[in-house]
DNA sequence: CTGAAAGCGCTTACAG
DNA sequence: CTGAAAGCGCTTACAG
């Protein structure tokens, strides 16, 4: 009990009175086996609960049919990316496994290399930043693709971190008559946060509106709340461009604490289309980012790479503005 | 390029002018190797980028040092459970890998069995419901433990789905003078939703307050909003016990749409301590559930099982009520 | 301190 | 249609 070792294909062979070869053929459906033999083998295998040892199989075939996706605990919106990647992997006949890694970027790089050369996967897709060393395809036989939504360096698919539509927030609000803006930024280590901040600065400049500055510097709601509390009394009417919905939520709370109405004294945009944004009072104008499709594309790229095919090009945008109550009634530029 | 196969321990041996045995000893630090030989082997291994084939190693040693955690896309709050499990696994010297599975319960059970008998893991911890067949320890050599926060059947660790503290919501509000209650329930398929509903019904009964009924039946905020819109005009003052924070968020929105103030006309409790709950207007009274500690305990149980040790007993509660603005000012029973 | 040999559980030419 | 044999890349008694 417990210490007994699981049955092997040799056990099945002995019990069925055939060779290991025949068992293998019957199970994988590869060689030619007579129907009756095949039936008997299958029956025996089933009865003793035989399951092939995957490590042995993949060591022999050098094909595991498995792809690894590397994620980390702290990356927002990844669940949808993983789901999208999984859809594509399964459709292509692969089993996809998710490995969650944490620690420093060096640790993550090590682990990625380990997985790449461990002989168990035919390809690796990482959603967390790793050092370029992990991506070199010369030494590790299997391809490693990085699709990080939220950081730069390496071969990133990048589209997910694109901030160019933030310009549309500013221009549309400017056209609607808003003259004063503030940006509540995310942390500087994030490429997406930096991109949004820079796009904001360029936009206020380009559209000739006043900027009261860039506040914030972190993702949690409390940062947004503090940013509003730090605004001068005569700030309203002001348009607040928050780097994400969490921050926007804090802004909403801070505005209420100061007695400022939204969208009266203050209009507000977020980013990410978080579930709660449709139900806050007022509901949040935001950027819907299609992480799932981002995951699909990343996986298509990996599969194309390992098959030595040309990667498919996708042109449809991954982002879309959702106008809601927090920006008042405006006629969005089509 | 690309088609070249990764270096093996035999390659290292040849290049270092030693036997494969010596390479193995030098790398694993097991046998006795002279310092100079050891240094040379390590140097060669490093220079050609050698990494042991894990499949081969674990096939030979029958010890992989790896544990698998099975999760699914749709399970709320799992990230923290996974984090907790990972902490304990790493502290015990194991590498933990997360496998995300979806499909029917039969599919998930199959996949679990496959992992259990695949020879790559020393133990399996599943956070998604599987059939009892997957848990039988007689056939698969490795232990499989189910720690499902949100469904019943099998050896569940259960504490996470415990709803008994909901009685405290009701009794405390009753003591504060609230006489009329409503429950906005989650979907019936969830053990946690059922437990909360039943605890609610028992509580209103026990504390002699009126119940306007049980509404809802799903998790998204919209369900909570609809529930409030369905209430009769003369419902207030009423205490709404929502099955989770999403639902409570919808309730808040619905109340605003009807012109009902919170906590004036309506008081409200949620569940889960979602991030946004501290920043809604008003902030949400809720149940903080320590999923991370739940994950830790589940992993401790798995490790104790595979080591044939007595599982550690934990007595500290995993749940704690957080009183906030949505219930007005009350003196919580200590 | 070092090496030759066996074997973990599979699959796959090859021969019959 | 079926089987004996080799080998995937490791580790580990065993002998020297």
């Amino acid at each position: 009990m417990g210490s007994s070792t699981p049955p092997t294909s040799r056990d099945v062979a002995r019990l069925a009175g055939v060779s290991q070869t025949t068992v293998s053929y019957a199970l994988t459906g590869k060689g030619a086996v007579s129907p009756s033999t095949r039936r008997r083998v299958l029956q025996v295998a089933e009865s003793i609960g035989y399951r092939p040892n995957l490590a042995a199989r993949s060591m022999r075939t050098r094909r595991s049919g498995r792809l690894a996706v590397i994620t980390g605990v702290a990356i927002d919106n990844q669940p949808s990316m993983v789901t999208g990647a999984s859809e594509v992997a399964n459709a292509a006949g692969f089993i996809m496994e998710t490995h969650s890694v944490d620690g420093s970027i060096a640790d993550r790089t090590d682990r990625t290399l380990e997985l790449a050369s461990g002989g168990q996967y035919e390809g690796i897709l990482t959603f967390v930043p790793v050092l370029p060393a992990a991506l070199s395809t010369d030494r590790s036989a299997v391809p490693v693709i990085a699709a990080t939504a939220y950081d730069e360096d390496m071969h990133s698919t990048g589209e997910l971190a694109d901030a160019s539509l933030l310009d549309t927030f500013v221009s549309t609000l400017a056209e609607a008559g808003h003259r004063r803006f503030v940006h509540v930024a995310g942390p500087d280590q994030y490429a997406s946060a930096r991109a949004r901040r820079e796009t904001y600065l360029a936009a206020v400049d380009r559209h000739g509106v006043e900027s009261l500055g860039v506040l914030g510097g972190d993702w949690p709601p409390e940062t947004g709340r503090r940013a509003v509390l730090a605004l001068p009394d005569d700030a309203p009417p002001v348009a607040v461009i928050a780097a994400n919905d969490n921050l926007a939520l804090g802004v909403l709370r801070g505005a209420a604490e100061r007695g400022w109405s939204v969208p009266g004294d203050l209009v507000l945009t977020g980013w990410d289309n978080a579930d709660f944004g449709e139900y806050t009072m007022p509901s949040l104008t935001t950027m819907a980012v299609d992480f799932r499709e981002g995951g699909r594309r990343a996986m298509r790229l990996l599969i194309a790479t390992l098959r030595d095919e040309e990667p498919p090009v996708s042109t449809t945008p991954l982002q879309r503005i959702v106008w809601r109550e927090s920006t008042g009634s405006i006629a969005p530029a089509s």
Side-chain angles (χ1 to χ4, degrees), chain A residues 84-283:
Chain A
S86 164
E87 287 171 21
V88 171
N90 292 339
F94 286 96
I95 286 174
M96 187 190 97
E97 288 172 11
T98 317
H99 290 248
S100 180
V101 305
D102 28 49
S104 72
I105 189 163
D107 292 343
R108 297 191 303 262
T109 303
D110 264 14
R111 190 82 189 95
T112 302
L113 278 167
E114 220 170 281
L115 288 171
S117 10
Q120 320 180 57
Y121 295 104
E122 297 183 40
I124 316 270
L125 179 61
T126 171
F127 286 145
V128 300
V130 291
L131 295 170
L135 277 357
S136 63
T137 45
D138 32 310
R139 225 158 234 173
S140 62
V142 309
V144 178
I145 300 279
T148 56
Y150 281 149
D151 230 317
E152 89 279 53
D153 290 339
M154 67 221 93
H155 312 167
S156 166
T157 52
E159 318 163 78
L160 288 168
D162 179 30
S164 59
L165 277 176
L166 191 144
D167 186 272
T168 307
F169 278 151
V170 175
S171 66
T172 307
L173 291 171
E175 274 168 38
H178 294 278
R179 308 257 53 100
R180 209 142 30 155
F181 287 73
V182 175
H183 182 49
V184 183
D188 239 29
Q189 309 90 281
Y190 286 76
S192 61
R194 287 199 302 275
R196 287 168 209 174
R197 194 195 50 211
E198 275 150 37
T199 307
Y200 166 82
L201 291 171
V204 290
D205 207 45
R206 181 139 80 95
H207 301 293
V209 292
E210 182 187 356
S211 172
L212 298 183
V214 173
L215 301 174
D218 209 347
W219 291 128
E222 183 61 18
T223 304
R225 176 173 165 270
R226 290 263 165 76
V228 175
L229 298 184
L231 251 25
D233 284 338
D234 63 353
V238 62
V240 180
I241 308 293
N244 78 1
D245 288 344
N246 274 332
L247 254 11
L249 180 68
V251 168
L252 232 38
R253 174 93 198 179
E257 289 178 16
R258 295 196 69 160
W260 292 346
S261 72
V262 182
D265 298 315
L266 192 144
V267 295
L268 176 63
T269 66
W271 202 285
D272 279 349
N273 197 19
D275 282 342
F276 61 77
E278 201 176 341
Y279 291 89
T280 51
M281 289 296 302
S283 57

Side-chain angles (χ1 to χ4, degrees), chain A residues 62-81:
Chain A
R62 301 178 144 290
R63 270 227 52 195
S64 64
R66 298 194 298 160
L67 265 20
V69 156
I70 304 181
T71 69
V73 169
I75 314 296
D76 322 71
N77 293 296
Q78 273 193 169
S80 332
M81 293 188 69

